[in-house]
């Protein structure tokens, strides 16, 4: 796993082969961040990374200048890996939380400039996640929510849907805090 650009550009972290998480590919990550530059100024932003897995997105967000990143991951080994990566970068701008994303969403009171979620594609609650994030009003005005999912999902009719991007088998749906105008 490598950091694409920014302060920590080029840093590599070896993911243990025993991990169940599949990090977002460098190709997909680089392309979606290229799209995001037209929507988000990461410098000084606050971000939330749900289903963090290996922490690839959290580390990329830190490298791009986010002031604070909250990284939520339930798996003990993955959480420890994220903590180890943060120690290697010598940064305290990321708060790694080991816990269930759905419990976190129910209790979270903070708003973020940027939210990223990469749940397991087979997760039965996957279709509900955009409504949970938007409904809890976790995005600041002008904020962007990026949802990574498999090809079998289409969120284009969601009232907060912004656009869809596909890179190989990786699909991203982008949402905003504001509903899109009807008509």
């Amino acid at each position: 796993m490598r950091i694409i650009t920014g302060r920590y550009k080029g840093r590599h972290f070896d993911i243990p082969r025993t991990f169940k998480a599949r990090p977002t590919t460098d190709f997909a990550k680089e392309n979606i961040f290229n799209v995001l530059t037209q929507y988000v100024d990461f410098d000084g932003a606050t971000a939330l990374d749900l289903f963090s897995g290996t922490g690839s997105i959290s580390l990329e967000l830190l490298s791009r200048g986010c002031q604070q990143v909250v990284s939520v991951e339930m798996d003990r080994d993955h959480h420890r890996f994220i903590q180890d990566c943060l120690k290697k970068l010598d940064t305290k701008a990321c708060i790694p939380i080991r816990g269930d994303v759905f419990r976190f969403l129910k209790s979270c009171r903070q708003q973020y400039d940027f939210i990223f979620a990469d749940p397991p594609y087979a997760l039965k609650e996957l279709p509900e996640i955009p409504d949970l994030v938007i409904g809890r009003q976790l995005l600041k005005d002008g904020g962007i929510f990026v949802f990574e999912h498999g090809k079998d999902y289409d969120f284009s009719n969601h009232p907060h849907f912004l656009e869809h991007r596909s890179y190989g088998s990786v699909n991203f749906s982008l949402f905003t805090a504001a509903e899109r105008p009807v008509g």
Side-chain angles (χ1 to χ4, degrees):
M1 172 178 82
R2 93 182 152 94
I3 298 176
I4 305 292
T5 197
R7 180 180 184 185
Y8 306 116
K9 179 181 179 177
R11 294 287 300 265
H12 286 264
F13 300 91
D14 294 325
I15 300 168
R17 294 179 193 262
T18 57
F19 274 23
K20 297 170 275 195
R22 43 150 185 76
T24 303
T25 65
D26 284 353
F27 175 75
K29 184 168 63 171
E30 186 168 10
N31 280 289
I32 195 61
F33 272 97
N34 285 341
V35 169
L36 290 171
T37 58
Q38 65 184 315
Y39 295 114
V40 181
D41 180 5
F42 292 107
D43 193 34
T46 57
L48 174 61
D49 183 10
L50 301 170
F51 305 96
S52 302
T54 62
S56 174
I57 298 299
S58 291
L59 298 176
E60 191 69 39
L61 291 165
L62 290 170
S63 186
R64 291 169 184 261
C66 281
Q67 172 188 355
Q68 181 191 59
V69 177
V70 175
S71 177
V72 183
E73 173 55 45
M74 185 164 50
D75 184 276
R76 180 191 66 221
D77 294 332
H78 296 177
H79 178 260
R80 188 176 306 121
F81 179 78
I82 294 167
Q83 289 178 310
D84 291 345
C85 292
L86 294 170
K87 283 179 191 168
K88 289 176 184 172
L89 295 178
D90 192 28
T91 180
K92 301 209 183 322
C94 184
I95 302 168
I97 296 174
R98 182 172 170 240
D100 178 78
V101 165
F102 296 101
R103 282 193 187 136
F104 175 85
L105 290 174
K106 286 180 184 174
S107 65
C108 182
R109 302 286 180 255
Q110 183 174 347
Q111 287 190 314
Y112 300 89
D113 298 297
F114 179 76
I115 300 173
F116 188 92
D118 179 10
Y121 288 2
L123 186 71
K124 68 178 171 101
E125 298 92 349
L126 187 143
E128 302 162 22
I129 294 171
D131 284 335
L132 286 172
V133 169
I134 302 292
R136 298 280 313 155
Q137 298 178 338
L138 299 178
L139 276 178
K140 291 180 182 177
D141 286 344
I144 296 291
F145 168 46
V146 174
F147 188 44
E148 183 174 334
H149 55 84
K151 63 179 170 38
D152 297 333
Y153 294 95
D154 178 5
F155 295 97
S156 60
N157 289 325
H158 193 282
H160 295 267
F161 178 80
L162 183 62
E163 68 174 285
H164 174 264
R165 295 292 176 124
S166 177
Y167 306 104
S169 62
V170 181
N171 289 266
F172 297 102
S173 289
L174 283 66
F175 301 85
T176 63
E179 286 191 34
R180 62 181 167 189
V182 178

